[in-house]
Amino acid sequence: GQQLNQSPQSMFIQEGEDVSMNCTSSSIFNTWLWYKQDPGEGPVLLIALYKAGELTSNGRLTAQFGITRKDSFLNISASIPSDVGIYFCAGYNYGGSQGNLIFGKGTKLSVKP
Amino acid sequence: ETGVTQSPTHLIKTRGQQVTLRCSSQSGHNTVSWYQQALGQGPQFIFQYYREEENGRGNFPPRFSGLQFPNYSSELNVNALELDDSALYLCASSQDRGGSPENGYTFGSGTRLTVV
């Protein structure tokens, strides 16, 4: 099935570091979403973006909707241990007849040993 | 307000068997979507149910089928299980079929299916 291109696949963080990840698609979406998934849980919505060029923050998280509507990035500032987990981007066409999300493969955040 | 609940949480089945997974949608939500998440992958859309009818389907064979009940809860049925069906199956509910992800699209914790 279709998946978005998400990078990096994994990264190690040290507490206090800033983190950046991005997502690209061959298709246009009118909505970009970022989710976090902890082990044994379903994805939890972090940020929703509805307009090309939009920059939205949620606490230490900031995400942007690319101008071409084919990409998005997520930044986490001053990371803390509870930021560890898997982050997924998802493209979505809000208001359409179907409501299916197209997900990336995820970026796994781990703590540096 | 209760969230999305799925049952069972874990299940082991033998190849060729059939399985039924269940999902109760969040209060006020009338649409249920099912996703399959293989290990190390993002969730893949299976299908969506709205007003008890299938409303969109991903690239999954007919042996994946579903139901939605008048109370908006849903079942996912998989016949003739294959080893590759081993995955986390996620249910997500929303207010409407094209609904705002801010107000809906709440995921359950999933059912971990292992086919041996």
Side-chain angles (χ1 to χ4, degrees), chain B residues 46-67:
Chain B
I46 303 175
F47 43 55
Q48 183 181 79
Y49 276 83
Y50 172 70
R51 292 186 176 179
E52 300 177 52
E53 291 192 358
E54 187 178 289
N55 174 58
R57 187 180 184 92
N59 189 26
F60 281 82
R63 58 189 186 84
F64 285 78
S65 62
L67 285 172

Side-chain angles (χ1 to χ4, degrees), chain B residues 11-116:
Chain B
L11 200 53
I12 299 175
K13 287 286 190 178
T14 303
R15 190 170 52 182
Q17 284 188 316
Q18 178 265 345
V19 69
T20 298
L21 310 181
R22 295 179 174 82
C23 173
S24 294
S25 60
Q26 181 169 309
S27 175
H29 288 183
N30 59 16
T31 303
V32 172
S33 303
W34 286 92
Y35 289 79
Q36 180 195 65
Q37 187 177 21
L39 204 58
Q41 302 292 318
Q44 294 277 326
F45 175 68
I46 303 175
F47 43 55
Q48 183 181 79
Y49 276 83
Y50 172 70
R51 292 186 176 179
E52 300 177 52
E53 291 192 358
E54 187 178 289
N55 174 58
R57 187 180 184 92
N59 189 26
F60 281 82
R63 58 189 186 84
F64 285 78
S65 62
L67 285 172
Q68 186 179 33
F69 300 99
N71 66 354
Y72 307 126
S73 66
S74 177
E75 285 182 356
L76 164 65
N77 298 294
V78 187
N79 291 324
L81 283 166
E82 301 176 1
L83 297 179
D84 284 349
D85 295 334
S86 295
L88 180 68
Y89 288 85
L90 294 163
C91 169
S93 71
S94 56
Q95 284 181 311
D96 289 297
R97 53 190 172 168
S100 162
E102 278 189 337
N103 297 324
Y105 249 107
T106 305
F107 281 86
S109 296
T111 294
R112 172 73 62 188
L113 173 65
T114 302
V115 182
V116 296

